[in-house]
Structure formats: C-alpha cells, structure tokens
Amino acid sequence: MRGVSVGSELYFPFIVCPSPPLRIFRLIRIARVAYLYGLDSLVLEHELELGFWPRVIQAMQRMMFWRDLSAPRAVRLRQALEDLGPIFVKFGQLLSTRRDLLPLDIADELAKLQDSVPPFSSDLAIAELEKAYGRPVDQVFAKFEREPVASASVAQVHFAVLHEKDGGREVAVKILRPGILPVIEHDIALLQVAASLLETVWADGRRLKPREVVAEFDKYLHYELDLMREAANCSQLRRNFEGSDLLILPEVHWDWCTQSVMVMERMHGTMISQVDTLREKGVDIPRLARAGVEIFFTQVFRDGFFHADMHPGNIFVVTEGARKGCYIALDFGIVGTLSDVDKNYLAQNFLAFFHRDYKRVAEVHIESGWAPRDTRVDEFEAAIRSVCEPFFDRPLKEISLGRVLLRLFQTSRQFNVEVQPQLVLLQKTLLNIEGLGRELDPDLDLWQTALPYLERWMSGQLGWLALENNIKREASSWAKLLPTLPRLMHQALTATATPAPNLELESLSAEVRGLRHLLWVVLAVAAGALVFAILR
C-alpha cells in the first residue's frame, strides 16, 4: 500500500482501524522520538511522583552522552512534533495558544509550527469528488486543475471552473484528506494516554490540565473534518461584512458542498506576509495595519463571532481594482463566539487597563462570576497592578494587548479564576493580529487604534444611546402587547375564584404585572429625560 510521506512517518489513507500491533509500534516510535530530542529531560526538570525512578532515569541520561541536546528545550520540542507528523504538528499549534498554561519560550516556539504536508494524489482527489457527487467530475466542473494549490494535514485545495449553466465562475475546491479520520482517532487515543500519564507522574501536571487540552484539541480537529460546518462559518462571516470596504470573504456554492468537499469563490490577492510586494503594488501599508485592528474589534464586539485562525497563510490582500487594499480571509475551520457578557467583560477590562484602573479590573472579574464572590478586591487589585504596571513604563505603541490579556489570565489563576475557553481562543487571535499589524507597521499604536472603537461600543451599551437602542429593539413586542392591555386588565379585575387554577388567566395576570412595571419604567425614563432637557 502506498502511503503519504510526512517527515520520516508514513500515513496510510485507507487504514480503517489500527491494529493493536500497529498502535504499539506507533507508541514505541513516539517514545523513541521523544528520547532522541531529549523530551524526557523536559519532564524531569520538574518534580515527579515516581519514588526512586527519576534518579534511575537521570543516571541513564548521563550514560547516553551521545545525544545532542544543545538546542533550547522549546526548539527540541518543536522539532520532535514535526518529526511525529501532521496531527502532532496541529496539536503543537493548539498548545501554542495555551499561553495561560505553558512557559512563554515554549509557546512562542510552537507558534512557528506550519501545518503543511505533501499533497495526496490527484487521482485520490478526483475519486473523493466523484464519491461525494455521485457523478464524474467533468459533469460538475468545466475545468478542474489536477495540481493542488495548497495542502495541509486535514485537506487540500484545487482550483476549478463551474459550467456555464452554473454561472461559469472560478472556484476553489477544498477536499478532505482520504482516510484521515482513523489516523486522527489513532493519534488522539495515544495523546489521551500520554495526558493521563503526565497527570499521574508529574506533580505540576494536574495544574496544566493535559487531558482537558487533548479533549479541546479533539473537538476542534473534528470540527475541521466537517466542511459543511466550515462553509457555514464562511457564510456567516461573509454576511457580517457584506458591503464592508475592509474585509471580503468568498461566496460559498452550497449546491456543491458536502461534509468532505467545500466549493467557494476563488479569491485573487497577495499574501499578507509579502509586505514588499504589497508596497510595490501601491497598497497603503499603515492603513492596512489599522484596518486589521478594526476588523478584529468589529468581529469581537459588534458580531461576537470571529475568525480564530488568522495566521499569515490565511490572510490575503486585494492589490487590483476598486477594492484595492481590502483584506481577504480564508480557512474557516475554527471560529470563536462571544456572548454579550463576554463582550462586556472584555470591553470593561480593556478600558480599565487603558485608564490604569486596576480596582475596576478586579471588580469586573468578580461581577462576571469568574472570580469567587469571597475574593478580596484589594488583594486582587494589588496582584493585577504588580503584573500590569510595568507595561506602562513604555510608550503605548510598544504595549501588547495580547500580552496584557495573557498576564491577566496567569494572575487570575492565583485567585481560582477559571479562564474561559472562548477567551483563550480570543487571546490567541489577538496575538496573531498584533503580530500581523506590527509586521506591517512597526509604529502601529494598537491601543490608540482600538480605544475609539471600544469607547464607541461602550457608549452603545450604556447611557441614553443604549436606552434608545433597547427601546427600538423591544418596540415590536410593545406594539403587540399594548393594544391588549385593556382586555388583560379587565379579565384580571373581573376574574372570580375557581376550584381549579386557571393557568391562562395566571399567565395573563403575570403579563399585566409585567406591563405595569414596564409602564412605570417608561414614565420614569420620560420624566428623567424631560428634567434633563430642562436643566440642560
């Protein structure tokens, strides 16, 4: 059977269920790679709960003097994951986002991992398409390019052209890697065993929650295996930015999408990392950097729905035509969502940091319920001040919002604050945005760029503008309830006691009470507005 070579590992696309001998062989290989790169010494730097065994292992390490462990520990860990294959590379990428758990040197090094593997054959790609559509490829596409333009561990992309009857448009066809599911299940099972072992033998392992990290990885990886979910994410982001002059997203061709195939509009642009090429084509680089920040905060605070995999390979820029200078986003397998509570928490934290109001930061944590109610505000405030005050000894343009958020997460753990998964994803995305922005414009002042947007958003949540928006939002409900008010009041006043409870009447009475309260609120607000206008 012909496999796909990845480093020194072979991935066979048609393995249905790994046999026990194969799993044992794979486990031995993982142990061998870990030992060759000195990952055992990485663990032995910490206290193990194995009695005298650490001393035995350390003695064996001294005997194995032929190993070259001169490279930093983080570099050796990255190289080991690359040697183990694409699933472990993706796991390393996830670990790089957990900066609330990992040392910074390891997190920074793992962020360098690139999810790029050799493509699978064009014959397999065409076979997958014919399996998905139940017809020959030439009946679906007028032209299909056999050579892929991009290849990753989960899928690869080919360019194609639809038939004239379907619009004749250029499209990009994303095809799931054949047989990838059993490979993933196999390696996930091994990671789960390793995580359990780590929690058992490493005193600090329980704090790092390795089993929870593997479970999170398992969830996101299975999300990426459903291309219908990715297509829906793309469609939602496109709808959110319809008519925007900052960001454009490909149109999804739903008629040709399945769980294993996604067909979308082909986008033309230059990769964001090719800064010199962008300059040569006349793109305003400082404006591009500021636009990236605005796009991020728009996704977070306006929509509560954000692209969570914004590394340079997924971001392009339009360099021709009327939309020159617009961003193009690709690859929507991972998105983040935020509730109104999350958005309010983040906005208040950012603004409090900007004004160096550490007491408010502590209060927001307790009010949101993420810090225990019995947390002493003064102690929490002092801890936050000791972490964050050093940031303000530098110019604002040198302050990293992502780093501030990271340090906040790390400090919060001392007060038994559980960091929310959606905020970890947000913090990772914010670090990506900052890296892109400062690569484009080293003088980018992220805080000054973000502050006006945050203040506008907060003004829309509080004060008279917020009241006006809420009234508009509830107006349709009031229009339905107010005409029925006399009838409901009459029924409530004339009702007599009955042997059995009248559930409908009780419901109507509750509505009357609610409307009465609502009318008092409206009258109070109107009176307040009148007084405010007179005094003004």
Side-chain angles (χ1 to χ4, degrees), residues 200-383:
T200 302
V201 305
W202 189 5
D204 206 31
R206 285 179 289 276
R207 183 187 69 81
L208 298 180
K209 301 181 178 179
R211 285 187 296 175
E212 289 185 19
V213 173
V214 172
E216 183 182 357
F217 175 59
D218 189 11
K219 179 180 71 175
Y220 284 126
L221 205 52
H222 280 81
Y223 284 171
E224 291 191 56
L225 293 178
D226 185 354
L227 296 187
M228 287 294 285
R229 176 188 287 269
E230 180 173 344
N233 292 339
C234 175
S235 184
Q236 178 67 55
L237 283 166
R238 177 182 168 86
R239 187 162 56 252
N240 290 347
F241 281 86
E242 189 172 1
S244 170
D245 60 352
L246 298 175
L247 175 67
I248 56 177
L249 298 108
E251 179 185 356
V252 175
H253 293 277
W254 287 105
D255 289 343
W256 308 116
C257 290
T258 69
Q259 190 170 356
S260 61
V261 179
M262 176 181 172
V263 178
M264 58 192 145
E265 176 186 2
R266 177 177 175 178
M267 309 301 287
H268 297 272
T270 300
M271 193 176 295
I272 188 72
S273 58
Q274 298 176 5
V275 181
D276 291 339
T277 303
L278 293 174
R279 283 199 182 95
E280 289 173 5
K281 295 187 176 184
V283 175
D284 185 341
I285 300 299
R287 178 188 174 279
L288 193 65
R290 293 191 301 272
V293 177
E294 185 174 348
I295 289 169
F296 171 76
F297 281 95
T298 300
Q299 290 184 73
V300 170
F301 290 105
R302 187 194 69 185
D303 305 328
F305 189 84
F306 60 94
H307 191 303
D309 198 15
M310 299 187 73
H311 62 76
N314 290 338
I315 307 298
F316 288 71
V317 179
V318 179
T319 56
E320 305 289 343
R323 308 198 72 175
K324 183 176 180 178
C326 279
Y327 280 88
I328 301 170
L330 300 172
D331 197 344
F332 312 96
I334 302 176
V335 297
T337 57
L338 297 171
S339 67
D340 288 340
V341 173
D342 296 331
K343 292 188 287 185
N344 185 63
Y345 158 83
L346 287 167
Q348 291 202 51
N349 263 303
F350 283 149
L351 289 172
F353 273 121
F354 187 84
H355 297 295
R356 301 168 83 163
D357 186 355
Y358 304 120
K359 182 178 181 180
R360 183 58 191 151
V361 176
E363 289 173 343
V364 168
H365 274 71
I366 297 171
E367 289 170 5
S368 68
W370 293 343
R373 289 291 176 188
D374 58 354
T375 302
R376 286 189 53 175
V377 174
D378 57 337
E379 291 181 357
F380 200 7
E381 176 190 359

Side-chain angles (χ1 to χ4, degrees), residues 37-96:
Y37 286 99
L39 302 190
D40 52 314
S41 62
L42 204 69
V43 176
L44 289 172
E45 291 174 359
H46 304 269
E47 179 185 355
L48 295 180
E49 299 176 350
L50 288 175
F52 70 93
W53 283 108
R55 292 190 293 274
V56 173
I57 297 172
Q58 287 166 351
M60 292 174 61
Q61 284 182 318
R62 286 192 290 272
M63 295 173 60
M64 300 295 181
F65 57 87
W66 48 269
R67 293 191 303 177
D68 181 11
L69 304 182
S70 57
R73 63 177 186 173
V75 173
R76 288 186 277 116
L77 177 57
R78 174 180 59 78
Q79 292 171 340
L81 292 174
E82 288 174 339
D83 201 2
L84 286 171
I87 304 305
F88 284 82
V89 166
K90 292 190 76 68
F91 183 60
Q93 290 174 328
L94 173 71
L95 285 179
S96 72

Side-chain angles (χ1 to χ4, degrees), residues 118-122 125 144-151 156-159 173:
F120 54 88
S121 73
S122 300
F144 180 81
E145 296 185 11
R146 294 178 61 88
E147 290 302 315
V149 293
S151 176
Q156 70 184 33
V157 178
H158 295 253
F159 288 148
V173 184

Side-chain angles (χ1 to χ4, degrees), residues 378-392:
D378 57 337
E379 291 181 357
F380 200 7
E381 176 190 359
I384 293 170
R385 181 184 296 109
S386 66
V387 167
C388 300
E389 193 65 20
F391 283 104
F392 290 96

Side-chain angles (χ1 to χ4, degrees), residues 468-481 518:
E468 180 184 346
N469 292 335
N470 288 333
I471 289 174
K472 288 178 180 177
R473 187 163 52 248
E474 297 294 336
S476 59
S477 299
W478 294 4
K480 178 182 178 182
L481 289 173
L518 177 62

